[in-house]
Amino acid sequence: QMQLVESGGGSVQAGGSLRLSCAASGDTYSRSHLCMGWLRQAPGKEREGVATIYNVRGNTYYVDSVKGRFTISQDNTNNTLYLQMNSLEPEDTAMYYCAAGVGSWCPRPIDKYNYYGQGTQVTVSS
């Protein structure tokens, strides 16, 4: 089992920055190859994958709309996943979720993760 708890969301103006954190706990996290990801869902839109990182090799993936602005990283000493978001745009407004998928399949479809967090809200005003 694994538990994921996100934090760091908030309201910012366009051009600002936020750093999201996802604290992971449970036996699965410490024993497995994992694909860790950030997903988001804007009002009235489908959930989409934003970024992923494979915990063993550190390979990263970003959706085109955030490339050059967002950075996904991990700190295995404190079991935390991060998403640094710079140059935020109103279109980035969404609920952001942390997700974990067991195995090396990374990136993967958003419905193929094994564990999901409850989400943290990000609101960007123009």
Side-chain angles (χ1 to χ4, degrees):
Q1 290 297 317
M2 184 185 302
Q3 296 75 43
L4 303 171
V5 179
E6 303 94 335
S7 62
S11 297
V12 296
Q13 291 192 329
S17 298
L18 283 173
R19 189 177 78 158
L20 305 184
S21 300
C22 172
S25 60
D27 288 349
T28 303
Y29 186 87
S30 62
R31 298 180 182 180
S32 299
H33 291 211
L34 295 169
C35 179
M36 301 297 297
W38 287 99
L39 318 175
R40 67 184 180 186
Q41 187 165 17
K45 294 187 177 181
E46 294 186 353
R47 191 174 292 191
E48 67 170 345
V50 176
T52 62
I53 186 167
Y54 176 43
N55 72 335
V56 174
R57 297 197 182 102
N59 310 59
T60 58
Y61 162 84
Y62 299 93
V63 70
D64 285 347
S65 60
V66 307
K67 284 180 180 177
R69 301 189 297 121
F70 290 11
T71 303
I72 189 171
S73 62
Q74 59 185 2
D75 184 344
N76 290 330
T77 61
N78 62 11
N79 296 348
T80 302
L81 180 73
Y82 300 101
L83 186 67
Q84 178 66 44
M85 305 187 295
N86 298 329
S87 302
L88 282 161
E89 303 168 352
E91 292 74 22
D92 297 316
T93 294
M95 183 71 79
Y96 283 72
Y97 300 89
C98 174
V102 178
S104 60
W105 183 17
C106 199
R108 61 177 67 188
I110 60 173
D111 62 338
K112 298 301 183 184
Y113 289 88
N114 302 96
Y115 306 97
Y116 299 84
Q118 294 299 308
T120 186
Q121 178 67 39
V122 171
T123 302
V124 184
S125 58
S126 57

